[in-house]
């Protein structure tokens, strides 16, 4: 249903002046898209009124791709081809993921992990792109126009590879990324503007697959991130896994096939959500071999099962507080973000640690998308009452490898973005004319314990004695947290540079090929939609005409009835073909054949309405 927008005289912008931009929360469990309309940020719902889009993608046997609720229904039926929690795989290799409990078939690769589906081998970037396409379509249909761009949120503790993978997915979905925004910062924007808050706040963000803790200082529209920490492999999914293991142990079940595993994991998630407001949850289901599972989990048992996970969020919290140089008494409030923060044991722990009740007056599922929409509106150039300045920080240190396999940090974590920082290095051997530069990210001292981001060479260094050359290496990180590195020998001005493309990101050729594939299939998709619409129209008119004949066939001759029935039969046959135009023509032919019948029914209805009434009693 379309809503009429009413503004005060002189207060509404001309349609061409307002640029359509959205904020997207690409979540592990659910994703959302929001926008700003008439100065208010709101989440856009689908046709059924659902604000949340399950982050689930199903590759069907007929080569169609289902996203969201339709895909979610296939979780237990087709687990090998139904991808969930893909956000955990972004920018990650097989060695980074515990695949023992996952129902997917993975392909061996040296880069980002790949999932083998019936639709072919898919990267997490491609799967995420399908989710983003669905959100883009929802937004354009709701707003009635083409988007100029989107702000997409990422966990604060996403490293360069994960951020680049997210940006690649957006490009593949046809989205112009205005900015990648840290999820806690987006939440602070939404919360701060909604409550006109100032002071130092903690954003405790526990989503489906990631945990972030950020400390922000809010002062007159300036959102300054003082410190951030977290765990990109800790979230609500881990709580589900604990319940899943408890079910196996309590019901004395041996390791199951993929179908049973997915079914039990779904039941585990349902139990977790039920225990948010109830004292116990019953888990009952029939397994593929006919075995019946029926166990009951109490709130206290759930608390005991997940105590270590709850405590696991405290270590990053303490580190962030220490990095910010703050005491508990310095914190004005703790904002809860992410659906997993609804668990009572999480809220209890946060209240005890910070010695105050957490702030839960905004929907933890929507707050990130709302904040992203506000930032998108500003970046798109629309007029805004909010004068925002976001001072975000880099989550992990950046540096390069020096002799001995050591990691020399150039930009330290929690440095404010955007940032550029340079450091001088020198040669190791006499007459050295080239230098290999290895860019790494992480907090450890050894390169082997950090993540490798890129390698490039600086050649043409004048031959000098060891230690005489001066190589100035400059690291530049943009507002999205993405990195470029340059190296210059100061005496000769020989220079080399690289825009860091993590080893787990997609190459430009891969992105181009995927985009070409999407353009190629666009015409096919358009024809498929036209065919489906034509078949729906044919089915509707056939049903309507049959119902009319059943009720009023006596109004026309037998020959006319036979003519209409013949046209219905033709349409039923043609509707089974792949020719949308032929279906439309058959529909028109049936419409033409029923014109006299429709007129006769109209006359009969009028006669019935006037029957027994005198002319002077009618309201003419």
């Amino acid at each position: 249903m379309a809503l009429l927008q009413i503004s005060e005289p002189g207060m509404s912008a001309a349609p061409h002046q307002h640029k359509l931009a959205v904020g997207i929360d690409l979540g592990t469990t659910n994703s959302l898209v929001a926008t700003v309309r008439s100065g208010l940020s709101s989440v856009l719902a689908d046709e059924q009124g659902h604000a949340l889009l399950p982050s689930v993608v199903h590759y069907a046997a007929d080569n169609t791709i289902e996203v969201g609720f339709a895909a979610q229904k296939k979780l237990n039926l087709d687990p090998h081809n139904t991808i969930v929690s893909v956000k955990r795989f972004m920018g990650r290799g097989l060695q980074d993921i515990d695949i023992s409990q996952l129902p997917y078939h993975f392909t061996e690769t040296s880069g980002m992990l790949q999932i083998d589906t019936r639709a072919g081998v898919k990267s997490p970037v491609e799967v995420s792109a399908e989710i983003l396409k669905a959100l883009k379509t929802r937004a354009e249909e709701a707003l009635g126009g083409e988007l100029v761009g989107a702000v997409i949120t990422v966990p604060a503790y996403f490293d360069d590879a994960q951020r680049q993978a997210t940006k690649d997915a957006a490009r593949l979905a046809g989205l112009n990324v205005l900015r990648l925004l840290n999820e806690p910062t987006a939440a602070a924007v939404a919360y701060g503007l909604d409550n006109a808050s100032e002071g130092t706040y903690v954003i405790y963000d526990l989503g489906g697959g990631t945990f972030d803790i950020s400390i922000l200082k809010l002062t007159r529209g300036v959102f300054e991130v003082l410190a951030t920490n977290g765990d990109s492999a800790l979230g609500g999914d881990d709580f589900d896994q604990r319940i899943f293991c408890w079910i196996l142990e309590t019901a004395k079940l041996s390791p199951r096939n993929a179908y049973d595993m997915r079914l039990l994991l779904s039941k585990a998630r349902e139990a977790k959500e039920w225990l948010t407001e109830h004292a116990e949850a019953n888990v009952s289901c029939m397994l593929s071999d006919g075995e019946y599972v029926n166990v009951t989990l109490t709130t206290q048992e759930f608390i005991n099962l997940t105590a270590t996970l709850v405590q696991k969020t405290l270590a990053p919290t303490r580190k962030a507080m220490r990095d910010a140089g703050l005491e508990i008494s310095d914190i004005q409030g703790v904002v809860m973000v992410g659906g997993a923060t609804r668990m009572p044991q999480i809220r209890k722990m946060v209240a005890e640690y910070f010695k105050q009740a957490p702030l839960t007056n905004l929907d933890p599922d929507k707050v990130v998308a709302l904040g992203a929409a506000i930032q998108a509106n500003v970046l798109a150039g629309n007029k805004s009452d909010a004068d925002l300045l976001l001072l975000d920080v880099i989550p992990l240190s950046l540096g390069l490898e020096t002799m001995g396999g050591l990691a020399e940090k150039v930009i330290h974590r929690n440095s404010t973005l955007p940032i550029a920082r340079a450091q001088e290095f020198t040669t190791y051997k006499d007459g050295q004319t080239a230098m290999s530069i290895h860019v790494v990210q992480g907090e450890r001292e050894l390169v082997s314990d950090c993540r490798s981001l890129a390698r490039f060479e600086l050649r043409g260094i004048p031959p000098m004695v060891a230690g005489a050359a001066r190589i100035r290496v400059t690291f530049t990180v943009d507002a999205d947290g993405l990195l470029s590195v340059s190296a210059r020998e100061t005496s000769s001005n020989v220079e080399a540079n690289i825009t860091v493309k993590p080893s787990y990101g997609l190459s430009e050729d891969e992105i181009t090929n995927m985009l070409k594939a999407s353009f190629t299939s666009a015409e096919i998709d358009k024809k498929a939609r036209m065919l489906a619409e034509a078949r729906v129209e044919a089915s509707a008119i056939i049903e309507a005409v049959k119902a009319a004949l059943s009720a009023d066939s006596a109004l026309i001759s037998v020959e006319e009835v036979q003519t209409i029935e013949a046209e219905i039969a033709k349409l039923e046959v043609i509707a089974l073909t792949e020719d949308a135009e032929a279906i439309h023509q058959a529909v028109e032919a049936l419409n033409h054949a029923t014109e006299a019948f429709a007129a006769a029914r109209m006359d009969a209805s009028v006669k019935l309405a006037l029957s027994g009434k005198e002319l002077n009693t009618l309201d003419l």
Side-chain angles (χ1 to χ4, degrees), residues 160-459:
D160 200 79
Q162 293 165 305
R163 290 168 188 267
Q164 187 63 60
T166 303
K167 207 162 188 178
D168 287 345
R171 288 180 57 199
L172 196 56
L175 283 166
N176 173 37
V177 180
L178 299 172
R179 182 172 176 181
L180 295 181
L181 185 62
N182 285 347
E183 289 167 2
T185 309
V189 169
Y191 188 87
L193 292 178
D194 186 67
N195 295 275
S197 301
E198 290 198 356
T200 303
Y201 285 79
V202 170
I203 315 296
Y204 184 101
D205 184 356
L206 185 63
T210 58
F211 170 65
D212 286 321
I213 191 82
S214 292
I215 303 173
L216 297 95
K217 187 175 182 181
L218 284 65
T219 310
R220 297 181 181 179
V222 177
F223 293 74
E224 181 181 3
V225 181
L226 303 180
T228 187
N229 214 298
D231 188 336
S232 61
L234 172 65
D237 288 354
D238 297 287
F239 289 78
D240 299 343
Q241 187 68 31
R242 290 288 172 92
I243 299 177
F244 167 77
C245 293
W246 176 86
I247 295 171
L248 292 181
E249 182 179 347
T250 305
K252 296 181 172 56
L253 301 174
S254 57
R256 317 302 297 187
N257 57 44
Y259 299 93
D260 290 342
M261 284 174 58
R262 183 54 66 76
L263 174 62
L264 292 173
L265 274 170
S266 297
K267 292 296 180 181
R269 176 170 293 177
E270 291 172 9
K272 176 191 71 177
E273 294 172 353
W274 183 259
L275 288 171
T276 297
E277 298 181 354
H278 300 83
E280 61 181 36
N282 179 252
V283 179
S284 59
C285 60
M286 184 75 72
L287 301 180
S288 58
D289 60 2
E291 186 174 0
Y292 186 68
V293 175
N294 186 23
V295 293
T296 299
L297 178 65
T298 67
T299 298
Q300 190 56 51
E301 286 176 311
F302 180 44
I303 291 172
N304 295 338
L305 282 174
T306 58
T308 55
L309 293 176
V310 175
Q311 290 299 312
K312 198 174 178 182
T313 68
L314 273 181
T317 300
R318 292 191 184 99
K319 288 178 183 175
M321 289 289 290
R322 187 170 59 247
D323 291 342
L326 297 172
E327 301 293 334
I328 297 297
S329 58
D330 298 322
I331 304 301
Q332 273 68 55
V334 183
V335 179
M336 303 298 275
V337 181
T341 61
R342 288 190 171 94
M343 288 184 283
Q345 61 264 48
I346 292 292
R347 294 189 176 184
K348 182 175 183 240
M349 182 276 293
V350 169
E352 290 176 350
Y353 180 78
F354 286 101
K355 297 181 173 56
Q356 59 182 292
L359 301 168
T360 58
N361 54 315
L362 290 182
D363 188 330
D365 283 319
K366 297 179 180 179
V367 65
V368 168
L370 294 173
I374 293 168
Q375 179 67 358
N377 190 56
V378 172
L379 294 178
N382 295 322
K383 291 183 179 179
S384 172
D385 294 334
D387 185 14
L388 293 179
L389 176 60
L390 301 183
L391 301 178
D392 225 328
V393 297
I394 190 167
L396 297 168
S397 299
L398 295 162
L400 47 80
E401 180 179 359
T402 57
M403 291 302 300
L406 297 176
E408 177 68 22
K409 297 179 180 65
V410 177
I411 296 179
H412 291 264
R413 66 188 178 94
N414 288 328
S415 297
T416 302
L417 298 180
I419 187 173
R421 190 160 291 170
Q423 193 164 323
E424 284 196 351
F425 297 86
T426 189
T427 51
Y428 179 70
K429 292 183 178 180
D430 291 343
Q432 185 175 336
T433 59
M435 178 180 286
S436 176
I437 297 173
H438 181 199
V439 183
V440 297
Q441 185 170 33
E443 304 310 313
R444 305 286 293 276
E445 298 301 318
L446 297 179
V447 168
S448 57
D449 296 323
C450 296
R451 182 171 293 277
S452 174
L453 294 183
R455 295 176 185 269
F456 67 104
E457 288 188 349
L458 175 65
R459 294 188 171 276

